Short mmCIF file of all heavy atoms in Angstrom, two decimals:
data_model
loop_
_atom_site.label_atom_id
_atom_site.label_comp_id
_atom_site.label_asym_id
_atom_site.label_seq_id
_atom_site.Cartn_x
_atom_site.Cartn_y
_atom_site.Cartn_z
N MET A 1 -3.02 -18.85 4.87
CA MET A 1 -3.22 -17.56 4.20
C MET A 1 -1.94 -16.75 4.23
O MET A 1 -1.28 -16.66 5.25
CB MET A 1 -4.35 -16.79 4.90
CG MET A 1 -4.78 -15.51 4.22
SD MET A 1 -5.54 -15.73 2.60
CE MET A 1 -7.20 -15.15 2.93
N LYS A 2 -1.60 -16.18 3.08
CA LYS A 2 -0.41 -15.35 3.02
C LYS A 2 -0.63 -14.05 3.80
O LYS A 2 -1.75 -13.67 4.10
CB LYS A 2 -0.08 -15.02 1.56
CG LYS A 2 0.40 -16.24 0.78
CD LYS A 2 1.03 -15.83 -0.55
CE LYS A 2 -0.01 -15.47 -1.57
NZ LYS A 2 0.56 -15.19 -2.91
N GLU A 3 0.49 -13.40 4.07
CA GLU A 3 0.43 -12.14 4.83
C GLU A 3 -0.16 -11.01 3.99
O GLU A 3 0.03 -10.96 2.78
CB GLU A 3 1.85 -11.73 5.25
CG GLU A 3 2.51 -12.68 6.23
CD GLU A 3 1.89 -12.60 7.60
OE1 GLU A 3 1.61 -11.50 8.08
OE2 GLU A 3 1.68 -13.67 8.20
N ILE A 4 -0.80 -10.10 4.67
CA ILE A 4 -1.18 -8.83 4.05
C ILE A 4 0.10 -8.10 3.65
O ILE A 4 1.06 -8.07 4.42
CB ILE A 4 -1.93 -7.97 5.10
CG1 ILE A 4 -3.30 -8.57 5.38
CG2 ILE A 4 -2.04 -6.52 4.67
CD1 ILE A 4 -4.35 -8.17 4.39
N PRO A 5 0.16 -7.54 2.45
CA PRO A 5 1.39 -6.86 2.07
C PRO A 5 1.69 -5.65 2.95
O PRO A 5 0.79 -4.95 3.38
CB PRO A 5 1.12 -6.42 0.62
CG PRO A 5 -0.35 -6.52 0.43
CD PRO A 5 -0.85 -7.52 1.40
N LEU A 6 2.97 -5.47 3.20
CA LEU A 6 3.40 -4.30 3.97
C LEU A 6 3.84 -3.23 2.98
O LEU A 6 4.88 -3.34 2.35
CB LEU A 6 4.57 -4.70 4.88
CG LEU A 6 5.13 -3.60 5.77
CD1 LEU A 6 4.09 -3.11 6.78
CD2 LEU A 6 6.38 -4.09 6.49
N LEU A 7 3.01 -2.23 2.80
CA LEU A 7 3.30 -1.21 1.79
C LEU A 7 4.41 -0.28 2.23
O LEU A 7 5.17 0.21 1.42
CB LEU A 7 2.03 -0.42 1.46
CG LEU A 7 0.99 -1.19 0.65
CD1 LEU A 7 -0.31 -0.41 0.55
CD2 LEU A 7 1.52 -1.52 -0.74
N TYR A 8 4.48 -0.02 3.51
CA TYR A 8 5.59 0.79 4.03
C TYR A 8 5.68 0.59 5.53
O TYR A 8 4.69 0.31 6.20
CB TYR A 8 5.41 2.28 3.70
CG TYR A 8 4.15 2.89 4.27
CD1 TYR A 8 4.15 3.48 5.52
CD2 TYR A 8 2.94 2.84 3.57
CE1 TYR A 8 3.00 4.03 6.06
CE2 TYR A 8 1.78 3.37 4.09
CZ TYR A 8 1.83 3.97 5.34
OH TYR A 8 0.68 4.49 5.87
N ARG A 9 6.91 0.68 6.02
CA ARG A 9 7.11 0.62 7.47
C ARG A 9 7.08 2.01 8.07
O ARG A 9 6.48 2.25 9.09
CB ARG A 9 8.45 -0.05 7.80
CG ARG A 9 8.40 -1.57 7.72
CD ARG A 9 9.78 -2.14 7.56
NE ARG A 9 10.34 -1.68 6.27
CZ ARG A 9 11.42 -2.20 5.70
NH1 ARG A 9 12.09 -3.15 6.29
NH2 ARG A 9 11.83 -1.74 4.54
N GLU A 10 7.75 2.92 7.37
CA GLU A 10 7.76 4.32 7.80
C GLU A 10 7.21 5.16 6.66
O GLU A 10 7.32 4.77 5.50
CB GLU A 10 9.18 4.77 8.12
CG GLU A 10 9.84 4.00 9.23
CD GLU A 10 11.29 4.42 9.37
OE1 GLU A 10 11.54 5.63 9.51
OE2 GLU A 10 12.16 3.55 9.32
N LYS A 11 6.70 6.31 6.99
CA LYS A 11 6.09 7.16 5.97
C LYS A 11 7.09 7.57 4.89
O LYS A 11 6.71 7.83 3.76
CB LYS A 11 5.47 8.39 6.62
CG LYS A 11 4.18 8.05 7.35
CD LYS A 11 3.57 9.27 7.96
CE LYS A 11 2.24 8.92 8.61
NZ LYS A 11 1.66 10.08 9.31
N LYS A 12 8.36 7.63 5.23
CA LYS A 12 9.35 8.04 4.22
C LYS A 12 9.48 6.98 3.12
O LYS A 12 10.08 7.25 2.09
CB LYS A 12 10.70 8.33 4.87
CG LYS A 12 11.37 7.11 5.45
CD LYS A 12 12.72 7.46 6.04
CE LYS A 12 13.38 6.20 6.57
NZ LYS A 12 14.60 6.45 7.31
N GLU A 13 8.93 5.79 3.35
CA GLU A 13 8.97 4.75 2.32
C GLU A 13 7.75 4.78 1.40
O GLU A 13 7.55 3.89 0.59
CB GLU A 13 9.05 3.37 2.98
CG GLU A 13 10.33 3.17 3.77
CD GLU A 13 10.33 1.87 4.55
OE1 GLU A 13 9.29 1.21 4.64
OE2 GLU A 13 11.40 1.53 5.07
N CYS A 14 6.96 5.81 1.54
CA CYS A 14 5.77 5.97 0.69
C CYS A 14 5.66 7.43 0.30
O CYS A 14 5.69 8.32 1.15
CB CYS A 14 4.52 5.53 1.45
SG CYS A 14 2.99 5.91 0.58
N CYS A 15 5.53 7.67 -1.02
CA CYS A 15 5.41 9.06 -1.48
C CYS A 15 3.96 9.42 -1.76
O CYS A 15 3.67 10.50 -2.25
CB CYS A 15 6.27 9.27 -2.72
SG CYS A 15 5.74 8.29 -4.13
N GLY A 16 3.05 8.49 -1.48
CA GLY A 16 1.64 8.79 -1.69
C GLY A 16 1.24 8.88 -3.15
O GLY A 16 0.31 9.58 -3.51
N CYS A 17 1.94 8.12 -4.00
CA CYS A 17 1.71 8.23 -5.45
C CYS A 17 0.38 7.63 -5.90
O CYS A 17 -0.05 7.85 -7.00
CB CYS A 17 2.86 7.58 -6.20
SG CYS A 17 2.88 5.78 -6.06
N THR A 18 -0.22 6.81 -5.08
CA THR A 18 -1.50 6.14 -5.30
C THR A 18 -1.45 5.02 -6.34
O THR A 18 -2.49 4.51 -6.75
CB THR A 18 -2.66 7.11 -5.68
OG1 THR A 18 -2.46 7.58 -7.02
CG2 THR A 18 -2.75 8.28 -4.73
N ALA A 19 -0.25 4.63 -6.77
CA ALA A 19 -0.17 3.54 -7.75
C ALA A 19 -0.74 2.24 -7.18
O ALA A 19 -1.43 1.50 -7.88
CB ALA A 19 1.29 3.33 -8.16
N CYS A 20 -0.47 1.96 -5.92
CA CYS A 20 -0.99 0.73 -5.29
C CYS A 20 -2.53 0.80 -5.23
O CYS A 20 -3.22 -0.17 -5.53
CB CYS A 20 -0.40 0.56 -3.90
SG CYS A 20 -0.60 2.00 -2.83
N TYR A 21 -3.00 1.93 -4.86
CA TYR A 21 -4.45 2.17 -4.77
C TYR A 21 -5.11 1.94 -6.13
O TYR A 21 -6.15 1.29 -6.25
CB TYR A 21 -4.65 3.60 -4.29
CG TYR A 21 -6.02 4.19 -4.46
CD1 TYR A 21 -7.04 3.91 -3.56
CD2 TYR A 21 -6.28 5.06 -5.52
CE1 TYR A 21 -8.29 4.47 -3.72
CE2 TYR A 21 -7.53 5.62 -5.68
CZ TYR A 21 -8.53 5.32 -4.78
OH TYR A 21 -9.76 5.89 -4.94
N ALA A 22 -4.46 2.44 -7.17
CA ALA A 22 -5.03 2.36 -8.52
C ALA A 22 -5.02 0.93 -9.07
O ALA A 22 -5.92 0.53 -9.80
CB ALA A 22 -4.27 3.28 -9.46
N ILE A 23 -4.01 0.15 -8.71
CA ILE A 23 -3.87 -1.17 -9.33
C ILE A 23 -4.63 -2.27 -8.59
O ILE A 23 -4.89 -3.34 -9.15
CB ILE A 23 -2.37 -1.55 -9.46
CG1 ILE A 23 -2.21 -2.52 -10.63
CG2 ILE A 23 -1.82 -2.14 -8.16
CD1 ILE A 23 -0.77 -2.71 -11.08
N CYS A 24 -4.98 -2.03 -7.36
CA CYS A 24 -5.61 -3.10 -6.57
C CYS A 24 -6.90 -3.60 -7.23
O CYS A 24 -7.84 -2.82 -7.41
CB CYS A 24 -5.91 -2.61 -5.16
SG CYS A 24 -6.76 -3.87 -4.18
N PRO A 25 -6.96 -4.87 -7.59
CA PRO A 25 -8.14 -5.39 -8.29
C PRO A 25 -9.36 -5.54 -7.39
O PRO A 25 -10.48 -5.74 -7.87
CB PRO A 25 -7.67 -6.76 -8.80
CG PRO A 25 -6.61 -7.17 -7.84
CD PRO A 25 -5.93 -5.90 -7.41
N LYS A 26 -9.16 -5.46 -6.10
CA LYS A 26 -10.27 -5.64 -5.16
C LYS A 26 -10.70 -4.34 -4.48
O LYS A 26 -11.52 -4.36 -3.57
CB LYS A 26 -9.87 -6.65 -4.07
CG LYS A 26 -9.57 -8.04 -4.59
CD LYS A 26 -10.80 -8.71 -5.18
CE LYS A 26 -11.76 -9.13 -4.07
NZ LYS A 26 -12.98 -9.75 -4.64
N ASN A 27 -10.11 -3.24 -4.91
CA ASN A 27 -10.37 -1.96 -4.25
C ASN A 27 -10.18 -2.07 -2.73
O ASN A 27 -10.96 -1.52 -1.96
CB ASN A 27 -11.80 -1.46 -4.55
CG ASN A 27 -11.94 -1.00 -5.97
OD1 ASN A 27 -10.99 -0.50 -6.57
ND2 ASN A 27 -13.11 -1.19 -6.54
N ALA A 28 -9.15 -2.82 -2.36
CA ALA A 28 -8.91 -3.05 -0.93
C ALA A 28 -8.05 -1.96 -0.31
O ALA A 28 -7.83 -1.98 0.90
CB ALA A 28 -8.24 -4.40 -0.74
N ILE A 29 -7.56 -1.03 -1.14
CA ILE A 29 -6.69 0.02 -0.61
C ILE A 29 -7.43 1.35 -0.60
O ILE A 29 -8.04 1.73 -1.59
CB ILE A 29 -5.41 0.14 -1.46
CG1 ILE A 29 -4.64 -1.18 -1.43
CG2 ILE A 29 -4.53 1.29 -0.93
CD1 ILE A 29 -3.36 -1.17 -2.24
N LYS A 30 -7.36 1.99 0.54
CA LYS A 30 -7.91 3.34 0.65
C LYS A 30 -6.76 4.30 0.90
O LYS A 30 -5.79 3.95 1.57
CB LYS A 30 -8.85 3.43 1.86
CG LYS A 30 -10.20 2.80 1.65
CD LYS A 30 -11.17 3.27 2.73
CE LYS A 30 -12.55 2.71 2.49
NZ LYS A 30 -12.58 1.26 2.72
N MET A 31 -6.86 5.50 0.38
CA MET A 31 -5.88 6.53 0.69
C MET A 31 -6.44 7.31 1.88
O MET A 31 -7.54 7.85 1.83
CB MET A 31 -5.65 7.45 -0.50
CG MET A 31 -5.07 6.75 -1.74
SD MET A 31 -3.49 5.90 -1.47
CE MET A 31 -2.37 7.29 -1.20
N VAL A 32 -5.66 7.33 2.95
CA VAL A 32 -6.12 7.96 4.19
C VAL A 32 -5.22 9.15 4.53
O VAL A 32 -3.99 9.01 4.56
CB VAL A 32 -6.09 6.94 5.35
CG1 VAL A 32 -6.57 7.59 6.65
CG2 VAL A 32 -6.96 5.74 5.01
N GLU A 33 -5.84 10.26 4.77
CA GLU A 33 -5.10 11.48 5.07
C GLU A 33 -4.54 11.44 6.49
O GLU A 33 -5.24 11.03 7.42
CB GLU A 33 -6.07 12.67 4.96
CG GLU A 33 -5.44 13.92 4.41
CD GLU A 33 -6.48 15.00 4.18
OE1 GLU A 33 -6.75 15.75 5.12
OE2 GLU A 33 -7.02 15.07 3.05
N ASP A 34 -3.29 11.84 6.63
CA ASP A 34 -2.74 11.90 7.98
C ASP A 34 -2.98 13.30 8.55
O ASP A 34 -3.64 14.15 7.93
CB ASP A 34 -1.25 11.50 8.00
CG ASP A 34 -0.35 12.55 7.36
OD1 ASP A 34 -0.85 13.61 6.92
OD2 ASP A 34 0.87 12.30 7.30
N GLU A 35 -2.41 13.53 9.73
CA GLU A 35 -2.68 14.80 10.42
C GLU A 35 -2.11 16.01 9.68
O GLU A 35 -2.51 17.14 9.93
CB GLU A 35 -2.19 14.73 11.88
CG GLU A 35 -0.69 14.50 12.06
CD GLU A 35 -0.26 13.04 11.88
OE1 GLU A 35 -1.13 12.16 11.67
OE2 GLU A 35 0.94 12.80 11.94
N GLU A 36 -1.16 15.75 8.77
CA GLU A 36 -0.58 16.86 8.01
C GLU A 36 -1.21 17.02 6.62
O GLU A 36 -0.77 17.83 5.81
CB GLU A 36 0.93 16.65 7.87
CG GLU A 36 1.65 16.77 9.21
CD GLU A 36 3.12 16.42 9.11
OE1 GLU A 36 3.47 15.59 8.24
OE2 GLU A 36 3.89 16.98 9.89
N GLY A 37 -2.19 16.19 6.32
CA GLY A 37 -2.89 16.33 5.04
C GLY A 37 -2.30 15.51 3.91
O GLY A 37 -2.73 15.63 2.77
N PHE A 38 -1.30 14.67 4.22
CA PHE A 38 -0.74 13.78 3.21
C PHE A 38 -1.50 12.45 3.23
O PHE A 38 -1.85 11.95 4.30
CB PHE A 38 0.75 13.53 3.47
CG PHE A 38 1.59 14.74 3.32
CD1 PHE A 38 2.10 15.39 4.43
CD2 PHE A 38 1.86 15.28 2.06
CE1 PHE A 38 2.87 16.54 4.30
CE2 PHE A 38 2.62 16.43 1.91
CZ PHE A 38 3.13 17.06 3.04
N GLU A 39 -1.70 11.89 2.04
CA GLU A 39 -2.47 10.64 1.97
C GLU A 39 -1.55 9.44 1.87
O GLU A 39 -0.60 9.41 1.09
CB GLU A 39 -3.40 10.69 0.75
CG GLU A 39 -4.50 11.72 0.91
CD GLU A 39 -5.60 11.55 -0.11
OE1 GLU A 39 -5.31 11.08 -1.23
OE2 GLU A 39 -6.75 11.87 0.23
N TYR A 40 -1.87 8.43 2.67
CA TYR A 40 -1.12 7.18 2.68
C TYR A 40 -2.09 6.02 2.49
O TYR A 40 -3.23 6.07 2.97
CB TYR A 40 -0.37 7.01 4.01
CG TYR A 40 0.76 7.99 4.15
CD1 TYR A 40 0.55 9.21 4.76
CD2 TYR A 40 2.02 7.70 3.66
CE1 TYR A 40 1.58 10.14 4.88
CE2 TYR A 40 3.06 8.61 3.77
CZ TYR A 40 2.83 9.82 4.38
OH TYR A 40 3.85 10.74 4.47
N PRO A 41 -1.64 4.96 1.81
CA PRO A 41 -2.55 3.84 1.57
C PRO A 41 -2.78 2.98 2.81
O PRO A 41 -1.87 2.79 3.62
CB PRO A 41 -1.80 3.03 0.50
CG PRO A 41 -0.37 3.38 0.69
CD PRO A 41 -0.32 4.79 1.20
N LYS A 42 -4.00 2.50 2.93
CA LYS A 42 -4.34 1.59 4.02
C LYS A 42 -5.09 0.42 3.42
O LYS A 42 -6.01 0.60 2.63
CB LYS A 42 -5.22 2.33 5.03
CG LYS A 42 -5.49 1.55 6.30
CD LYS A 42 -6.21 2.42 7.31
CE LYS A 42 -6.34 1.77 8.67
NZ LYS A 42 -6.61 0.36 8.70
N ILE A 43 -4.68 -0.79 3.77
CA ILE A 43 -5.28 -1.99 3.18
C ILE A 43 -6.39 -2.54 4.07
O ILE A 43 -6.22 -2.69 5.27
CB ILE A 43 -4.20 -3.07 2.97
CG1 ILE A 43 -3.17 -2.59 1.95
CG2 ILE A 43 -4.84 -4.39 2.50
CD1 ILE A 43 -1.99 -3.52 1.76
N ASP A 44 -7.51 -2.82 3.44
CA ASP A 44 -8.61 -3.49 4.13
C ASP A 44 -8.35 -5.00 4.09
O ASP A 44 -8.44 -5.62 3.04
CB ASP A 44 -9.92 -3.15 3.42
CG ASP A 44 -11.11 -3.86 4.05
OD1 ASP A 44 -10.90 -4.79 4.86
OD2 ASP A 44 -12.24 -3.50 3.72
N GLU A 45 -8.01 -5.55 5.22
CA GLU A 45 -7.62 -6.97 5.30
C GLU A 45 -8.72 -7.90 4.79
O GLU A 45 -8.46 -8.98 4.29
CB GLU A 45 -7.29 -7.35 6.74
CG GLU A 45 -6.08 -6.64 7.27
CD GLU A 45 -5.70 -7.10 8.66
OE1 GLU A 45 -6.15 -8.19 9.07
OE2 GLU A 45 -4.94 -6.38 9.31
N ASN A 46 -9.95 -7.51 4.95
CA ASN A 46 -11.06 -8.38 4.56
C ASN A 46 -11.25 -8.46 3.05
O ASN A 46 -11.76 -9.45 2.55
CB ASN A 46 -12.35 -7.90 5.21
CG ASN A 46 -12.27 -7.99 6.71
OD1 ASN A 46 -11.71 -8.94 7.24
ND2 ASN A 46 -12.79 -6.99 7.40
N ASN A 47 -10.83 -7.42 2.33
CA ASN A 47 -10.98 -7.44 0.88
C ASN A 47 -9.73 -7.88 0.16
O ASN A 47 -9.78 -8.28 -0.99
CB ASN A 47 -11.37 -6.04 0.38
CG ASN A 47 -12.80 -5.71 0.69
OD1 ASN A 47 -13.60 -6.61 0.95
ND2 ASN A 47 -13.13 -4.44 0.69
N CYS A 48 -8.59 -7.80 0.82
CA CYS A 48 -7.31 -8.11 0.17
C CYS A 48 -7.19 -9.60 -0.14
O CYS A 48 -7.41 -10.44 0.73
CB CYS A 48 -6.17 -7.68 1.10
SG CYS A 48 -4.55 -8.13 0.48
N ILE A 49 -6.85 -9.92 -1.39
CA ILE A 49 -6.69 -11.32 -1.80
C ILE A 49 -5.21 -11.73 -1.88
O ILE A 49 -4.87 -12.78 -2.41
CB ILE A 49 -7.37 -11.58 -3.16
CG1 ILE A 49 -6.84 -10.60 -4.22
CG2 ILE A 49 -8.88 -11.49 -3.03
CD1 ILE A 49 -7.29 -10.95 -5.64
N ARG A 50 -4.35 -10.88 -1.36
CA ARG A 50 -2.90 -11.18 -1.29
C ARG A 50 -2.30 -11.46 -2.67
O ARG A 50 -1.53 -12.39 -2.85
CB ARG A 50 -2.63 -12.39 -0.39
CG ARG A 50 -2.63 -12.11 1.10
CD ARG A 50 -4.02 -11.97 1.65
NE ARG A 50 -4.01 -12.07 3.13
CZ ARG A 50 -5.04 -11.75 3.89
NH1 ARG A 50 -6.15 -11.25 3.35
NH2 ARG A 50 -4.97 -11.89 5.18
N CYS A 51 -2.69 -10.66 -3.64
CA CYS A 51 -2.12 -10.84 -4.98
C CYS A 51 -0.78 -10.12 -5.12
O CYS A 51 -0.04 -10.38 -6.05
CB CYS A 51 -3.11 -10.32 -6.03
SG CYS A 51 -3.32 -8.53 -5.97
N TYR A 52 -0.52 -9.19 -4.22
CA TYR A 52 0.75 -8.43 -4.16
C TYR A 52 1.00 -7.54 -5.37
O TYR A 52 2.12 -7.13 -5.60
CB TYR A 52 1.93 -9.37 -3.92
CG TYR A 52 1.86 -10.11 -2.61
CD1 TYR A 52 2.37 -11.39 -2.47
CD2 TYR A 52 1.26 -9.53 -1.50
CE1 TYR A 52 2.28 -12.08 -1.27
CE2 TYR A 52 1.17 -10.19 -0.29
CZ TYR A 52 1.68 -11.46 -0.18
OH TYR A 52 1.58 -12.13 1.01
N LYS A 53 -0.06 -7.27 -6.13
CA LYS A 53 0.11 -6.31 -7.23
C LYS A 53 0.52 -4.95 -6.70
O LYS A 53 1.27 -4.22 -7.35
CB LYS A 53 -1.18 -6.19 -8.03
CG LYS A 53 -1.45 -7.40 -8.90
CD LYS A 53 -2.64 -7.17 -9.80
CE LYS A 53 -2.84 -8.40 -10.68
NZ LYS A 53 -4.03 -8.28 -11.52
N CYS A 54 0.02 -4.62 -5.54
CA CYS A 54 0.34 -3.31 -4.96
C CYS A 54 1.84 -3.20 -4.67
O CYS A 54 2.44 -2.15 -4.88
CB CYS A 54 -0.48 -3.07 -3.71
SG CYS A 54 -0.42 -4.43 -2.52
N LEU A 55 2.44 -4.29 -4.19
CA LEU A 55 3.88 -4.26 -3.92
C LEU A 55 4.67 -4.17 -5.22
O LEU A 55 5.67 -3.47 -5.30
CB LEU A 55 4.30 -5.52 -3.16
CG LEU A 55 3.83 -5.63 -1.71
CD1 LEU A 55 4.36 -6.92 -1.11
CD2 LEU A 55 4.28 -4.43 -0.88
N LYS A 56 4.20 -4.89 -6.23
CA LYS A 56 4.95 -4.91 -7.50
C LYS A 56 4.93 -3.55 -8.18
O LYS A 56 5.89 -3.18 -8.85
CB LYS A 56 4.36 -5.98 -8.44
CG LYS A 56 4.67 -7.37 -7.95
CD LYS A 56 4.23 -8.43 -8.95
CE LYS A 56 4.37 -9.83 -8.35
NZ LYS A 56 3.14 -10.60 -8.49
N VAL A 57 3.85 -2.81 -8.02
CA VAL A 57 3.74 -1.53 -8.71
C VAL A 57 4.41 -0.39 -7.95
O VAL A 57 4.74 0.64 -8.52
CB VAL A 57 2.25 -1.19 -8.98
CG1 VAL A 57 1.57 -0.64 -7.73
CG2 VAL A 57 2.11 -0.23 -10.13
N CYS A 58 4.66 -0.59 -6.68
CA CYS A 58 5.17 0.51 -5.85
C CYS A 58 6.61 0.89 -6.25
O CYS A 58 7.49 0.04 -6.24
CB CYS A 58 5.15 0.10 -4.38
SG CYS A 58 5.86 1.38 -3.31
N PRO A 59 6.83 2.14 -6.61
CA PRO A 59 8.17 2.54 -7.04
C PRO A 59 9.21 2.39 -5.94
O PRO A 59 10.38 2.16 -6.23
CB PRO A 59 7.99 4.02 -7.44
CG PRO A 59 6.74 4.46 -6.76
CD PRO A 59 5.87 3.25 -6.65
N PHE A 60 8.81 2.49 -4.71
CA PHE A 60 9.77 2.35 -3.61
C PHE A 60 10.19 0.90 -3.44
O PHE A 60 11.34 0.61 -3.16
CB PHE A 60 9.17 2.88 -2.31
CG PHE A 60 9.26 4.37 -2.19
CD1 PHE A 60 8.58 5.19 -3.07
CD2 PHE A 60 10.04 4.95 -1.20
CE1 PHE A 60 8.67 6.57 -2.98
CE2 PHE A 60 10.14 6.32 -1.10
CZ PHE A 60 9.45 7.13 -1.99
N LYS A 61 9.26 -0.03 -3.62
CA LYS A 61 9.61 -1.45 -3.44
C LYS A 61 10.54 -1.94 -4.54
O LYS A 61 11.32 -2.85 -4.33
CB LYS A 61 8.37 -2.34 -3.45
CG LYS A 61 7.28 -1.96 -2.48
CD LYS A 61 7.74 -1.93 -1.05
CE LYS A 61 6.70 -1.27 -0.17
NZ LYS A 61 6.50 0.15 -0.48
N GLN A 62 10.46 -1.32 -5.72
CA GLN A 62 11.34 -1.74 -6.81
C GLN A 62 12.81 -1.59 -6.41
O GLN A 62 13.68 -2.26 -6.91
CB GLN A 62 11.09 -0.90 -8.08
CG GLN A 62 9.66 -0.87 -8.55
CD GLN A 62 9.06 -2.24 -8.71
OE1 GLN A 62 9.73 -3.13 -9.17
NE2 GLN A 62 7.82 -2.41 -8.30
N LEU A 63 13.06 -0.70 -5.50
CA LEU A 63 14.43 -0.45 -5.06
C LEU A 63 14.95 -1.59 -4.20
O LEU A 63 16.15 -1.84 -4.13
CB LEU A 63 14.50 0.86 -4.25
CG LEU A 63 14.01 2.11 -4.97
CD1 LEU A 63 14.02 3.28 -4.02
CD2 LEU A 63 14.85 2.40 -6.19
N ASN A 64 14.05 -2.29 -3.55
CA ASN A 64 14.48 -3.28 -2.55
C ASN A 64 14.33 -4.74 -2.98
O ASN A 64 14.98 -5.61 -2.43
CB ASN A 64 13.68 -3.08 -1.25
CG ASN A 64 13.89 -1.69 -0.70
OD1 ASN A 64 14.98 -1.15 -0.77
ND2 ASN A 64 12.84 -1.09 -0.18
N ILE A 65 13.43 -5.01 -3.91
CA ILE A 65 13.14 -6.41 -4.22
C ILE A 65 14.11 -6.92 -5.30
O ILE A 65 14.35 -6.19 -6.25
CB ILE A 65 11.69 -6.58 -4.71
CG1 ILE A 65 10.75 -6.23 -3.55
CG2 ILE A 65 11.42 -8.01 -5.16
CD1 ILE A 65 9.29 -6.21 -3.93
S1 LIG B 1 -2.34 -7.63 -2.31
FE1 LIG B 1 -3.69 -7.35 -4.09
S2 LIG B 1 -5.74 -7.28 -3.18
FE2 LIG B 1 -4.31 -6.94 -1.52
S3 LIG B 1 -4.17 -4.73 -1.32
FE3 LIG B 1 -2.50 -5.42 -2.67
S4 LIG B 1 -3.30 -5.24 -4.76
FE4 LIG B 1 -5.04 -5.17 -3.34
S1 LIG B 2 2.60 2.63 -4.59
FE1 LIG B 2 4.10 2.71 -2.89
S2 LIG B 2 4.75 4.86 -2.81
FE2 LIG B 2 2.86 4.77 -4.03
S3 LIG B 2 1.21 5.19 -2.53
FE3 LIG B 2 1.46 2.96 -2.70
S4 LIG B 2 2.89 2.41 -1.02
FE4 LIG B 2 3.05 4.61 -1.37
#
């Protein structure tokens, strides 16, 4: 089984745009509010089919891949 995608290592690598959340075909991503009220995506490992659409759509990942 392939790895669960790593959407961000640090919060500064995610702007909370929800593009990954919107594109996930399995609804495996939830936006979870942190202690400051900003929402970050969290992947449900059990629903994720490792299609990596979330990584492809992420504007931050486009900079690195
Ligand atoms: S890899 Fe695919 S199924 Fe898994 S969270 Fe990303 S978009 Fe959803
Ligand atoms: S697409 Fe990238 S920047 Fe946007 S919420 Fe998802 S991980 Fe964060």
